[in-house]
């Protein structure tokens, strides 16, 4: 599902405004492509953290786990829900 399809789905149900209000995101299975390679120090660190909260599997694929991402005062916090 593309981002435009996801937005159309929400619009059809009259809840597209929730995206901005609740700062919702959508997983399109490209997260692993946007992270540093796992054979790099930074890549290993972020992938380990994302695995620990259930965002990605050991294989590097997204898990479908619902998570809350919070950026406050320049600090990123990821927690599983």
């Amino acid at each position: 599902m593309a981002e435009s399809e996801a937005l159309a789905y929400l619009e059809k149900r009259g809840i597209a405004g929730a995206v901005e209000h609740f700062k919702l995101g959508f997983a399109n299975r490209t997260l692993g492509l946007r992270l540093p390679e796992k054979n790099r120090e930074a890549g290993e660190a972020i992938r380990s953290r994302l695995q620990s909260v259930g965002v990605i599997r050991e294989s590097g694929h997204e898990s479908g786990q619902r998570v809350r991402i919070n950026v406050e005062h320049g600090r990123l916090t990821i927690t599983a829900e």
Side-chain angles (χ1 to χ4, degrees):
M1 178 183 287
E3 184 176 352
S4 60
E5 291 176 80
L7 286 172
Y9 175 87
L10 296 174
E11 285 172 0
K12 184 177 176 182
R13 284 150 186 81
I15 56 173
V19 173
E20 183 62 33
H21 180 78
F22 293 107
K23 298 183 177 165
L24 299 176
F26 139 74
N28 61 2
R29 299 181 183 183
T30 62
L31 177 62
L33 301 175
R34 299 175 193 285
L35 298 174
E37 294 292 326
K38 59 184 169 187
N39 62 353
R40 304 282 189 253
E41 189 175 326
E44 177 61 30
I46 188 66
R47 288 168 189 271
S48 293
R49 177 74 176 119
L50 292 172
Q51 260 184 346
S52 72
V53 295
V55 174
I56 62 174
R57 295 186 183 113
E58 200 171 314
S59 65
H61 294 101
E62 292 175 42
S63 68
Q65 170 73 36
R66 290 185 344 155
V67 296
R68 176 168 292 187
I69 299 173
N70 186 31
V71 180
E72 195 170 315
H73 306 293
R75 184 181 168 104
L76 173 68
T77 306
I78 304 170
T79 51
E81 293 197 343

